Amino acid sequence: MIITSLHNDKLKHIRALQSAGKIRRAEKQIVLDGVRLIADALDSGLQPAFALYSEEATTVDKPAAQLLERLQAQGVDCTELSPELMVQ
């Protein structure tokens, strides 16, 4: 499945977490962006609720592709995001 709408529940959840510390504290969740931050979180034993990625990033960036494989192997819900939404 590819997310193509700004009205997707996962995107709404991410925006809420990014915009309100109160929500982050209540849900005990944060948004991590970037291969290194996510890999460091995994190395620390944290398990993401889900991950969003662009196909372009995983075909151009070898570390991103390796991270995606690692997330999938750990059973993390990984969903592709359309390129148009990745820059939003």
Side-chain angles (χ1 to χ4, degrees), residues 8-37:
N8 180 277
D9 288 339
K10 288 181 181 177
L11 288 180
K12 288 180 184 179
H13 184 68
I14 288 171
R15 283 202 180 94
L17 290 170
Q18 288 176 319
S19 65
K22 183 178 180 179
I23 294 172
R24 288 191 298 274
R25 286 187 295 278
E27 297 193 19
K28 297 181 181 176
Q29 293 182 333
I30 61 170
V31 176
L32 297 178
D33 182 15
V35 172
R36 183 170 180 177
L37 281 177

Side-chain angles (χ1 to χ4, degrees), residues 2-88:
I2 299 175
I3 296 174
T4 58
S5 171
L6 287 172
H7 302 289
N8 180 277
D9 288 339
K10 288 181 181 177
L11 288 180
K12 288 180 184 179
H13 184 68
I14 288 171
R15 283 202 180 94
L17 290 170
Q18 288 176 319
S19 65
K22 183 178 180 179
I23 294 172
R24 288 191 298 274
R25 286 187 295 278
E27 297 193 19
K28 297 181 181 176
Q29 293 182 333
I30 61 170
V31 176
L32 297 178
D33 182 15
V35 172
R36 183 170 180 177
L37 281 177
I38 297 167
D40 287 348
L42 291 174
D43 291 343
S44 296
L46 298 175
Q47 179 77 9
F50 61 90
L52 301 179
Y53 68 95
S54 71
E55 181 181 12
E56 180 181 325
T58 59
T59 57
V60 174
D61 185 2
K62 186 173 181 176
Q66 291 171 334
L67 178 61
L68 178 60
E69 288 176 12
R70 183 176 173 191
L71 289 164
Q72 290 170 332
Q74 291 185 9
V76 175
D77 175 15
C78 298
T79 305
E80 185 177 338
L81 193 61
S82 69
E84 299 81 26
L85 295 179
M86 191 55 89
V87 296
Q88 296 279 327

